[in-house]
Amino acid sequence: MSATLLSGLRALVTGGGSGIGAAITGCLRREGAVVLVVDADPSTLPDVVADVSSTAGVDALFGAVRDRLGGLDLLVNNVGVAGPTAAVQDMDPDAFDQCVQVNLGSAFRCTRLAVPLLRESKGSIVNISSTAGILGYPLRSPYAAAKWGIIGLTKTWAMELGSEGVR
């Protein structure tokens, strides 16, 4: 096999078992990357089944990252859920919290553990947001809040980590 654009790149894609995550995974693999796919849904046949909205799930995931990849060059924080659809006064607080934990908390938890590995490799972080992160969506406040948060974290982490070679 001839060298391709991303030959040997070690990548982790959260929510990589379906949708946009599966498309990202396919592109990375076609270009030669070694990709570890994590998804909470075992029916998507991920490499690792984990709930990245929980600290324990992410701790276990990064044990697998070290064991299977031996390091990390790229983290793709893609996992997301649409969450509840309701007016703010009708929103279930637990449903709000769960949506934010999956869409925003998972990016924090994964990035927190990825940074030491990415510093070593001078790697990259790709955070996936949506138009809800710049426009807002009526009746979708937890989703919009989390996606706005992703954009804020991305800008902040670029300032914090850029001088260390992490993009």
Side-chain angles (χ1 to χ4, degrees):
M1 180 175 179
S2 64
T4 57
L5 183 64
L6 303 176
S7 288
L9 181 115
R10 300 161 298 173
L12 172 63
V13 179
T14 68
S18 63
I20 293 169
I24 292 168
T25 296
C27 288
L28 289 170
R29 286 181 172 158
R30 277 190 299 282
E31 291 299 326
V34 178
V35 182
L36 188 68
V37 173
V38 62
D39 206 294
D41 181 357
S43 73
T44 66
L45 304 176
D47 300 310
V48 177
V49 175
D51 174 5
V52 293
S53 71
S54 79
T55 300
V58 173
D59 288 348
L61 169 62
F62 273 82
V65 167
R66 285 184 286 281
D67 292 346
R68 295 184 191 186
L69 299 179
L72 193 64
D73 302 296
L74 173 63
L75 169 63
V76 180
N77 286 312
N78 168 73
V79 70
V81 294
T85 303
V88 64
Q89 71 276 7
D90 300 324
M91 182 73 58
D92 173 12
D94 292 334
F96 182 99
D97 291 346
Q98 180 60 26
C99 181
V100 172
Q101 280 303 323
V102 171
N103 289 301
L104 182 62
S106 66
F108 160 72
R109 285 175 173 75
C110 289
T111 300
R112 179 179 161 269
L113 294 185
V115 164
L117 301 172
L118 295 171
R119 281 181 175 140
E120 288 178 25
S121 66
K122 303 296 184 207
S124 300
I125 302 164
V126 175
N127 292 325
I128 306 297
S129 185
S130 80
T131 56
I134 53 175
L135 300 175
Y137 278 11
L139 305 178
R140 302 296 301 281
S141 57
Y143 181 78
K147 294 305 180 176
W148 280 68
I150 287 290
I151 292 171
L153 285 179
T154 301
K155 290 178 179 184
T156 299
W157 292 339
M159 290 184 255
E160 289 179 14
L161 301 169
S163 64
E164 299 177 53
V166 177
R167 298 175 291 132

